[in-house]
Amino acid sequence: MATLVFILLIAAAVTPLAIVSRTRILSSSYNIRKVAFEFLAPDLSRLISLGYHNKTLLSPWQRCEQGDRVLYIHHQDQNGLIGLNSASGDLLRAGFVAMGYDDSQAQMLSLRAQHYREPEFSGEKPEADFDPKRAPFENLAEIGDFLPVGPVKGGPANAVFSVYNRTDSVSLAKAPPALKQQLLKPENAVFLIEGASSSMFALVTLAEFKAGQSQGFQSRIMLDNSFEDGKIPKIVEKEIGFGDLMDLRVPNSGTIPCEAPVQQLIGLL
């Protein structure tokens, strides 16, 4: 009996130490993965952007598998989105319809966007429960200053609008599916560029998950590739963090396996 009590006392003392050691190991592994991702994601994004410049993609989403990890890659040329500062009212309206708003809401939001960005807006004044900036949009987040509260069925603003497209047109080959569907309507055809002309700006999204898990490391990096071909793209905006797979809005279909050069680069992570 005394021996059994002694064993139980030893176990009670050792178990917390084992739990602490395991926690430290897991924490160390997480930190190593985090540092590696933060270090390599910017350069990997640059290489992906260089590889996709002036190229028509079968799908903007690619899915890579590397050991026990799954990675998603998304490349969005900014000429495939609507320029918040340069688009006419009709093109803005088409963009808000692509987001999921009905025609009357989209028209109202188009007027709000113009009222917000222009120093002296001469068109119809919208009902304004916001303070217009009266200057160009500097960041896509500013669109939230006048959007209605609550989700919309069509998707987020960053799948439709950009501050880096400085034309009143959209490249059909570079547009995301929901926006492309809207712009292919006859009344919007005037805004489409049929070729695959690339912008100097592209957003590269990377996400790394352990197989079977829904949370992992993510980066969104906006790149300026305005240098000569072969030069290293410059990072304009960078956001690196930890998030859920649902946040990426990866379509149930439409992803393709990573191309061989990309798969080799993923091995660095």
Side-chain angles (χ1 to χ4, degrees):
M1 186 61 147
T3 301
L4 179 59
V5 171
F6 178 75
I7 292 172
L8 290 174
L9 289 172
I10 294 296
V14 170
T15 298
L17 295 177
I19 292 173
V20 170
S21 297
R22 175 175 169 78
T23 301
R24 286 177 176 172
I25 291 171
L26 291 174
S27 176
S28 176
S29 175
Y30 169 87
N31 287 330
I32 290 172
R33 287 177 56 217
K34 179 176 180 288
V35 170
F37 186 84
E38 290 177 342
F39 181 74
L40 292 172
D43 286 336
L44 182 55
S45 297
R46 287 186 174 104
L47 290 170
I48 290 169
S49 182
L50 282 172
Y52 287 159
H53 190 60
N54 283 329
K55 180 179 179 181
T56 301
L57 301 178
L58 296 176
S59 169
W61 282 102
Q62 293 189 36
R63 184 179 188 274
C64 313
E65 295 187 19
Q66 184 76 25
D68 65 343
R69 294 172 301 162
V70 177
L71 291 101
Y72 290 94
I73 297 173
H74 182 270
H75 181 274
Q76 179 58 66
D77 187 283
Q78 298 301 283
N79 271 4
L81 303 174
I82 295 172
L84 265 179
N85 291 315
S86 54
S88 61
D90 287 341
L91 183 53
L92 289 170
R93 180 195 55 76
F96 287 115
V97 171
M99 280 186 65
Y101 295 101
D102 62 35
D103 288 336
S104 61
Q105 289 176 314
Q107 178 62 25
M108 177 267 293
L109 291 172
S110 171
L111 292 172
R112 285 186 167 203
Q114 295 171 77
H115 186 45
Y116 185 91
R117 75 188 184 190
E118 296 176 13
E120 295 182 5
F121 180 53
S122 58
E124 177 186 349
K125 294 292 191 297
E127 294 182 8
D129 54 359
F130 64 97
D131 293 324
K133 184 179 180 181
R134 302 198 184 283
F137 289 91
E138 297 175 77
N139 189 290
L140 190 60
E142 290 178 323
I143 200 173
D145 289 350
F146 58 81
L147 285 181
V149 177
V152 291
K153 63 181 180 181
N158 62 12
V160 175
F161 294 105
S162 169
V163 296
Y164 294 99
N165 182 349
R166 290 153 186 176
T167 69
D168 189 24
S169 60
V170 175
S171 172
L172 179 61
K174 307 291 186 179
L179 179 57
K180 183 182 295 186
Q181 181 181 6
Q182 181 62 30
L183 294 178
L184 282 172
K185 294 181 178 179
E187 64 269 26
N188 296 323
V190 66
F191 300 114
L192 288 174
I193 297 175
E194 292 292 341
S197 175
S198 293
S199 166
M200 290 296 103
F201 295 93
L203 178 67
V204 177
T205 301
L206 297 177
E208 177 198 359
F209 302 89
K210 278 202 167 184
Q213 296 184 2
S214 62
Q215 292 188 321
F217 301 105
Q218 300 178 16
S219 67
R220 291 180 175 85
I221 298 177
M222 185 71 71
L223 295 159
D224 176 358
N225 195 29
S226 58
F227 301 99
E228 297 177 3
D229 289 344
K231 297 292 185 180
I232 298 176
K234 180 174 64 176
I235 293 176
V236 179
E237 295 181 19
K238 180 173 69 173
E239 177 186 346
I240 300 179
F242 194 80
D244 195 276
L245 179 60
M246 294 291 292
D247 298 336
L248 296 177
R249 296 176 178 265
V250 179
N252 294 327
S253 61
T255 60
I256 60 174
C258 288
E259 298 173 2
V262 175
Q263 187 71 47
Q264 292 173 2
L265 291 171
I266 292 300
L268 298 172
L269 282 174

